[in-house]
Each structure stands twice: as C-alpha cells, then as structure tokens.
Amino acid sequence: MAETRSVDTRERILDAAEKLFTANGFDGTSMRQITGAAGVNLASVNYHFGSKEALVQEVFRRRLAWLNTERLRVLTAMEQAAGDKPLKPSQIVEGFFGTLLGMAQDESRGGVTFLRLLGRTLTDPADFIRTFLADEYQEVVERYKAALFKALPDVPRAEIAWRFHFMLGATSYAIAGTDALRLVTDWQVDEEDATDRLDRLQPRLMSFLLGGLRAPLPKF
Amino acid sequence: MAETRSVDTRERILDAAEKLFTANGFDGTSMRQITGAAGVNLASVNYHFGSKEALVQEVFRRRLAWLNTERLRVLTAMEQAAGDKPLKPSQIVEGFFGTLLGMAQDESRGGVTFLRLLGRTLTDPADFIRTFLADEYQEVVERYKAALFKALPDVPRAEIAWRFHFMLGATSYAIAGTDALRLVTDWQVDEEDATDRLDRLQPRLMSFLLGGLRAPLPKF
DNA sequence: ATATCATTCAAACAAACGTATGAATTAAAT
DNA sequence: ATTTAATTCATACGTTTGTTTGAATGATAT
C-alpha cells in the first residue's frame, strides 16, 4: 500500500481547505480552489473524504478532537488537585478559553487561521455544521458548566448558562473579527503590531470574561 | 408610473431575502428561492436591485439606516441632558445595545430575524459585506467610543476599544446563536418559553456587558 | 517478475447558479 | 383614445458547481 503519498495528500488538502475556508467561507470556496492550492488532483477530495461536506467536518474534527480532549484533561487535573473543594471561576474560565486561545500560538494546531474559522463557524446556519459542532462540544460543555455550577452555588443555573453563552460569543468574535471588520479597534490599536496584539488579547479577554461572569445579577 | 406594484415587489423581495438569508446564509440562498418565496418573477431582483450583491446590501441598509440613526439620536439626547458631565457607562451601553435589542420586539423593523442575520454577518468574510458594514457603522461607533472615553477617563483608550469589541461579540453571538447552536443553554433554559426568553435576555446581557466593561484591568 | 491493490489523473457529467433579453402587460400621461 | 413609460414575465445564456468514471500510475507483496 502506498501510504506516504495518501497521508500527504490528505493533509495537504486539509491545510489548504482550512486556509481557504477561513478566507472565503465554505460556500465561497470551490473544490477546484482547494485542490489547486493543495497541488493535488480535483478528484482526490472525493476519493479521500467522500464529499465536500465530509471535508468540512474533517477540517474541524482534527482540530477539535485535540482541543476538547485537552480541555477535559485540564479540567480533570484541576478538579483532582482541588479535592472536594469547588474550583475558582477564574480557573474554569482559564481552562476553557485559555486552551482555545493557546492554539493561536501553535501553528501545528491551526494557529490563528483555525481560530478565526471556528469563531465564525459557531454561528453558521448550515444544518450539518450545527449538529456536527453540537456533538463535538457537548461533553466538554457539560463538564465545564457543571464545574461553574459548583463554583457558584448561589447563582441560578440558568444565569450561569447564559453567561457561559455570552463568554463564548465575546471570545469567538474577538478572534473571528480581529482582522475581519475593524469596527471598534481601528487606529486605536494599530500602534501595536500584530503579534503583540495577539499576545495581549488573552489577558484582556480574560479580564472581560471574568468581569462579566461575576457581574451583579440583573433585577427583573 | 406604476408605483404601487413596484414598491410592493421591492419589499416582498427584501422580506423574503431577509428571512432566507437568515435561515440559509447568502451563498446558501438562490435568487430562485427568493423570488419564489416572494411570489415575484425571477428577473425582478436584477430589475429592481441590479444584482444579488446589491440586494444583500439593501437588505441591511433599510434596517441599519434606522438603527444607527436612532442610536445617534439617543446618544445626542443623553449628552444634551448631561450638559458637560460625562455619561454613565451604563447609559452608553444601554444606548448602543439597547436600541439593537429593542428591534427584536419590533417586527416592522425585522424582529429577531434581522438581528440574527446581523449578528452572524458581522463576521462574514466576504469583502463587499465587510466594507459595506464598516461604512454603515463607522460614524455611530466613533461617537459611542468617544462617549466611553469621556466616561472612563482613567481607563486606557485601547482597553476601552477592546472591551467595546468584546461587548459587540457577546451581543452578536447571544442573538445569532439563540436558536442556532444550543451549546450552552439547552435543557437549562427550555423551561422558559421563547418570548419570555427574549424578554429576559436584555437585562441578562446588560449585566454581563457592564460587568465586563468595568472589570479590573489586566496586569501584563 | 508478476500480480495486487491503493492512489492519482484527465475528462466528462448533470445540475444549479446569477444574469440578460425581448416580448407582453399594466398603469399613468396626453 | 392613444401614446408613453414602467414593470412583469417566460425563456435562454454561459459559467461554475460538486461529483463520477475509467484508465494510468505507483508501490507493495508473493
């Protein structure tokens, strides 16, 4: 079996697709663009993945599998270290969103490219994407939600769930929109260079998220 | 001139396009779907709007024109009432995001449908959308940013700009993802019915946003 | 060396896309 | 009543889309 060739082709396709999907969206990227950029034959996507839909899913699966495993690993480690005591909210937030933002520095795990793609895709309307992402996220979200419930026993659970939702949104958007539409940051942040901006994004975002999580409850 | 017919056709197209874009995305919606749902001829989109791109822009323009005018009106009124004194951060946040969320209840301004579409589109990679939205938002964002700078003179401007960015993300996602991917909220919020959920979203989100905006600054 | 299997390749497929055209229809203006 | 202009309509055009096919190529195992 000629395995080296096929493994190479698969990854070349996934890398090219990841970049192009980020730049132009799923529907905005054709199979010919992907195979062209990857330097492989047009038919190889269907040969290796079956369809374009399956390719999209595999682009996410190879990154999310690691991310969510890592998230669970971190949470489990923290919980074991804490014994019976609840974790600090800042630990939990750091465990969930810190692992995500850490991928930005790791080019071998997709770097900023994948993060931008993920951030944008969380609101994609396509059915097969929604159900696929929901499946990939289900376990890790349940575990982290449970940790937050335990850490904040006095806060109504529905309230915590919503704030988790808000935190996810702020994070996705912070990443997806960094270059995308420079609405808010514009000349304000151009002083800093791009890498510096990314390094400082994490502490900035963490402060914001924790501030939101610990905000006084709304009075209805 | 036959005006009643054409105005009707125009709006039927815009309404149908708005709904379909929200449900299936821009590329996922064909002209035949739009004209079919609107009950008009296929060629009428090109006749009235020129192209599909121009239709997309008009879908946003008719809603954003009102929204951003209203935002400026509210801000100006608050500033006049305050005289020389800076506004409270909560006023500013309420002025910007409250007007947006208020559209959810107003079906004549697009209701939840448009809000979801807008939330998702803020991270759309297509060039013509990015530049178009940036243009539509520029003035109102500058004005509100300036108000925040004045309200929080001790906070570095870059920090405020970032937090504005985060707030926009949390809000967009809160709206766009409400039905989309029910990651976090799932069975947790199913107790409340849909209308109740929307009514309670606003105070919940506002608490979160203000908590994030007023969070202690990150230490680098 | 030969047979076997996975992979690559060029070419073609039908389907769907956005857009353009010119005739038919309708309403307003003279 | 006739002219004029705006709108609607059915139809067609040329591209591009994702996918399929069957032959060519490559490497591995016997």
Side-chain angles (χ1 to χ4, degrees):
Chain A
M1 315 169 186
E3 205 167 313
T4 63
R5 271 198 307 169
S6 81
V7 169
D8 212 58
T9 302
R10 270 182 64 95
E11 296 222 343
R12 291 172 64 85
I13 292 173
L14 288 171
D15 289 343
E18 189 174 73
K19 285 200 187 78
L20 286 167
F21 287 158
T22 304
N24 310 318
F26 302 121
D27 295 323
T29 305
S30 69
M31 309 245 101
R32 286 165 180 82
Q33 283 179 276
I34 296 170
T35 52
V40 301
N41 187 272
L42 168 63
S44 46
V45 171
N46 289 280
Y47 176 77
H48 284 285
F49 300 96
S51 68
K52 189 182 180 181
E53 275 200 11
L55 170 63
V56 172
Q57 293 188 6
E58 184 57 24
V59 165
F60 283 99
R61 217 202 39 76
R62 79 167 168 164
R63 304 291 188 204
L64 291 183
W66 177 86
L67 171 63
N68 285 334
T69 301
E70 176 69 8
R71 276 169 165 166
L72 290 175
R73 192 189 62 74
V74 168
L75 180 59
T76 303
M78 290 190 301
E79 283 174 338
Q80 284 182 347
D84 274 351
K85 286 203 289 277
L87 298 173
K88 285 164 49 182
S90 62
Q91 285 182 289
I92 303 172
V93 171
E94 175 70 30
F96 191 89
F97 295 100
T99 48
L100 175 71
L101 293 175
M103 292 178 81
Q105 265 90 13
D106 192 343
E107 216 58 42
S108 78
R109 306 212 187 282
V112 240
T113 304
F114 175 71
L115 254 59
R116 279 222 275 270
L117 179 61
L118 178 62
R120 176 156 35 79
T121 308
L122 286 182
T123 58
D124 197 285
D127 258 352
F128 83 98
I129 291 180
R130 287 230 308 273
T131 62
F132 168 73
L133 282 183
D135 282 356
E136 287 283 326
Y137 264 95
Q138 190 175 15
E139 185 189 358
V140 74
V141 167
E142 285 305 320
R143 287 275 314 270
Y144 271 86
K145 252 199 311 191
L148 280 176
F149 291 162
K150 192 176 172 189
L152 302 165
D154 297 332
V155 181
R157 295 192 161 198
E159 218 64 42
I160 294 178
W162 273 109
R163 292 187 172 185
F164 199 170
H165 205 201
F166 298 152
M167 289 191 285
L168 233 141
T171 306
S172 300
Y173 190 82
I175 297 164
T178 294
D179 263 16
L181 102 134
R182 22 182 70 208
L183 273 186
V184 187
T185 68
D186 195 15
W187 45 269
Q188 227 77 28
V189 203
D190 275 352
E191 313 147 10
E192 316 171 7
D193 55 296
T195 55
D196 199 31
R197 200 182 315 172
L198 242 159
D199 289 345
R200 299 175 77 165
L201 169 64
Q202 181 151 355
R204 278 170 165 151
L205 180 60
M206 287 299 163
S207 297
F208 180 86
L209 295 183
L210 278 171
L213 178 60
R214 291 192 284 225
L217 295 181
K219 37 184 183 292
F220 294 109
Chain B
M1 314 171 188
E3 207 167 314
T4 62
R5 271 200 308 168
S6 82
V7 169
D8 211 58
T9 303
R10 270 182 63 96
E11 296 222 342
R12 292 171 64 86
I13 292 173
L14 288 171
D15 289 342
E18 188 173 74
K19 286 201 187 77
L20 286 167
F21 288 158
T22 304
N24 311 317
F26 301 120
D27 295 324
T29 304
S30 70
M31 308 242 109
R32 286 165 179 82
Q33 282 179 278
I34 297 170
T35 52
V40 302
N41 187 270
L42 168 63
S44 47
V45 172
N46 289 283
Y47 176 79
H48 284 285
F49 301 96
S51 67
K52 189 181 180 182
E53 276 200 12
L55 170 63
V56 172
Q57 293 187 3
E58 184 58 23
V59 165
F60 282 100
R61 215 203 42 75
R62 80 169 166 163
R63 305 291 187 204
L64 291 182
W66 178 86
L67 171 63
N68 285 333
T69 302
E70 177 69 8
R71 277 168 165 166
L72 290 176
R73 193 189 60 75
V74 168
L75 180 59
T76 303
M78 291 190 300
E79 284 174 336
Q80 283 182 348
D84 274 350
K85 286 202 290 276
L87 298 173
K88 284 165 48 183
S90 62
Q91 286 181 289
I92 303 172
V93 171
E94 176 70 31
F96 192 88
F97 295 101
T99 46
L100 175 70
L101 292 175
M103 292 179 80
Q105 265 91 11
D106 191 344
E107 215 60 41
S108 78
R109 307 214 186 281
V112 238
T113 305
F114 174 72
L115 255 58
R116 280 222 276 271
L117 178 61
L118 178 61
R120 175 154 36 79
T121 307
L122 286 183
T123 59
D124 196 285
D127 258 352
F128 83 98
I129 291 179
R130 287 230 308 273
T131 61
F132 168 73
L133 282 183
D135 282 356
E136 288 283 326
Y137 265 95
Q138 191 175 13
E139 184 189 358
V140 75
V141 166
E142 286 305 320
R143 287 274 315 269
Y144 271 86
K145 252 201 310 192
L148 280 177
F149 292 161
K150 191 176 173 187
L152 302 166
D154 297 332
V155 182
R157 295 192 162 198
E159 218 64 43
I160 294 179
W162 274 109
R163 291 187 172 185
F164 199 171
H165 205 202
F166 298 153
M167 290 192 285
L168 233 140
T171 305
S172 299
Y173 191 82
I175 297 163
T178 294
D179 262 17
L181 103 134
R182 21 183 71 207
L183 273 187
V184 187
T185 68
D186 193 17
W187 46 267
Q188 227 76 28
V189 202
D190 275 352
E191 313 145 11
E192 316 171 4
D193 55 297
T195 56
D196 199 30
R197 199 182 317 172
L198 244 158
D199 289 345
R200 298 175 77 166
L201 170 64
Q202 181 150 355
R204 278 171 166 150
L205 180 59
M206 288 298 164
S207 297
F208 180 87
L209 296 183
L210 277 171
L213 177 60
R214 291 193 284 223
L217 294 180
K219 38 183 182 295
F220 295 110

